[in-house]
Amino acid sequence: MPASLLELKKRIASVKQTSKITEAMHMVSAAKLNQTEKRDKGYQEYNQLLHQTVSRLMSASVIDHLNKANYRLTQDNIDSIDYDDVFGVGIISDMIKPREEIHSVGYLVVTGDRGLVGSYNSSVIKQMMSLVADDKLQGRESKILSVGSVGSQFFKKNNLNVVYEKGGVSDVPTFKETLPIVSTAIKMYLNGVYDELYVCYTHHVNSLSSAFRAEKMLPIVDLDIGTMEAKESKKIEFEVAPDIDSVLATLLPQFARAEIYGAILDAKTAEHASSMTAMKSATDNAKDLVSSLSLQMNRARQAQITTELTEIVSGANALE
């Protein structure tokens, strides 16, 4: 058998094996996407109610109370914060009072821990580099808190200031899993490592599309209440029990945790959707390539048979 036919057979077998792998990865990504979509949908309802509650409190007279109290966290308060049990923590006015000058900006960037996810990682990194360039023009220092090994490797390779990195976040992350990330991000802000904190991630729109988001998390200001009912709440005098300090001491850290966990969960959903689409495309391309190679092999085999028949006929004619 000619070498060309052997090579074509080997290539076809190799591509078929690859298509089986990509098809299996497509099915795994689809299963994970289904899990994260369900969890994300349920969590968004909770996060929306929490967001609305904080928005109403932020628009009410409670802020005047904080300003009059002029409460500031001491270093002992910051180091003693327990994010597994936020009850009893003092008022965190630093979380809602903007800094007078912005010298550095923190970006909590969520990427993946692996490739084969289409443009998911490259899109986030590209947008982040654009934000870093804007900060440089404004004379601000950019500090990266990287969640995901792909982003961490890229940012360190490009000599960006990575002040925190976390890899190995599970494909279907739990709320408890994100607590160390939240604790570090908030403590760094309270300690003055950066003057603002943004959460940067890929928002899952649907299975075919996603969008980059950079949402300001700290300080907690200028929240969009979003409904007429909530806007009317600015005129409402709130009755807070047991007291404003206790309510905000519990609510503000919970709000920060919810924002970061929601972003990571949303990003993981987008990652699985991107992976599913990429593996589906790879499987389809592999099948198309098998068809093309099979056609080439059939033509080569037909040419070989035609050549052999021609040689046989020529040999028979020569014997006559």
Side-chain angles (χ1 to χ4, degrees), residues 34-104:
N34 185 48
Q35 293 181 59
T36 53
E37 273 187 330
K38 287 181 179 179
R39 183 170 293 186
D40 190 29
K41 183 178 180 181
Y43 190 78
Q44 288 304 322
E45 295 177 4
Y46 159 78
N47 201 23
Q48 184 177 1
L49 291 174
L50 180 61
H51 194 280
Q52 189 179 71
T53 302
V54 174
S55 298
R56 290 177 175 179
L57 287 174
M58 294 284 286
S59 64
S61 59
V62 293
I63 302 305
D64 294 333
H65 167 82
L66 288 177
N67 292 332
K68 291 176 182 178
N70 195 28
Y71 182 89
R72 304 290 293 181
L73 284 176
T74 65
Q75 187 60 46
D76 291 338
N77 295 141
I78 294 172
D79 293 335
S80 65
I81 292 177
D82 181 3
Y83 287 90
D84 291 327
D85 181 13
V86 297
F87 295 96
V89 179
I91 296 177
I92 310 179
S93 62
D94 287 33
M95 294 177 67
I96 63 176
K97 295 181 71 173
R99 306 276 167 86
E100 293 182 1
E101 294 184 6
I102 308 299
H103 298 289
S104 62

Side-chain angles (χ1 to χ4, degrees), residues 175-236:
F175 188 77
K176 186 176 181 180
E177 189 179 1
T178 64
L179 292 182
I181 302 173
V182 180
S183 174
T184 301
I186 295 178
K187 285 182 178 181
M188 282 186 174
Y189 173 76
L190 297 176
N191 282 322
V193 176
Y194 35 76
D195 301 310
E196 289 181 340
L197 176 63
Y198 290 83
V199 182
C200 306
Y201 64 101
T202 303
H203 167 60
H204 173 67
V205 179
N206 53 51
S207 298
L208 298 176
S209 62
S210 58
F212 175 79
R213 281 187 176 180
E215 297 181 345
K216 189 175 184 178
M217 196 192 88
L218 291 173
I220 304 173
V221 293
D222 300 329
L223 295 176
D224 181 16
I225 300 175
T227 63
M228 291 302 296
E229 178 186 356
K231 290 178 181 179
E232 288 297 323
S233 70
K234 293 182 179 180
K235 305 175 182 178
I236 298 175

